[in-house]
Amino acid sequence: MGTISARVPDELEAELDAYLDEENLDRSTAVRKLLSEGLDDWRREQALDQLAAGSITFNKAAEMSGMSVWNFAQLAKERDITWVAADHLDDDLEAL
């Protein structure tokens, strides 16, 4: 396991301390959890952005996000991202 050190502003450290108290976690566990959650969010946003741009397929975006296709479809719907182009609809439906 690697080690990461970072200097943070006092305000951020105070928020982290409040999080530690609220979640009853030690500092290392809390930082790992927050970093993991932040990277999960980042992966989902990257997948949604690339899907919206048409640079990756829906299945690839779902895989990239780390979500099931059903959960990713719900997320894309909530973000109003259309992943089926009208000119490919017949082919996509036939493939199903």
Side-chain angles (χ1 to χ4, degrees):
M1 185 179 294
T3 301
I4 298 174
S5 297
R7 295 184 188 277
V8 297
D10 292 339
E11 299 82 27
L12 191 57
E13 186 175 18
E15 279 191 79
L16 177 61
D17 288 338
Y19 178 76
L20 297 176
D21 290 340
E22 181 72 26
E23 297 296 317
N24 196 29
L25 298 170
D26 63 87
R27 188 172 290 248
S28 289
T29 301
V31 170
R32 278 193 306 273
K33 181 179 179 197
L34 291 169
L35 182 58
S36 178
E37 289 172 359
L39 289 172
D40 287 345
D41 289 345
W42 179 79
R43 275 193 302 276
R44 282 191 292 274
E45 291 302 319
Q46 291 294 304
L48 289 166
D49 289 348
Q50 290 183 37
L51 179 64
S55 59
I56 60 175
T57 65
F58 176 81
N59 283 337
K60 180 63 177 169
E63 180 183 319
M64 180 180 181
S65 74
M67 300 174 74
S68 72
V69 293
W70 301 111
N71 288 340
F72 189 74
Q74 182 63 38
L75 180 62
K77 179 182 175 187
E78 290 168 4
R79 300 289 183 88
D80 200 27
I81 296 173
T82 303
W83 64 85
V84 179
D87 57 336
H88 297 293
L89 184 56
D90 289 336
D91 291 338
D92 289 338
L93 289 174
E94 193 173 303
L96 292 174

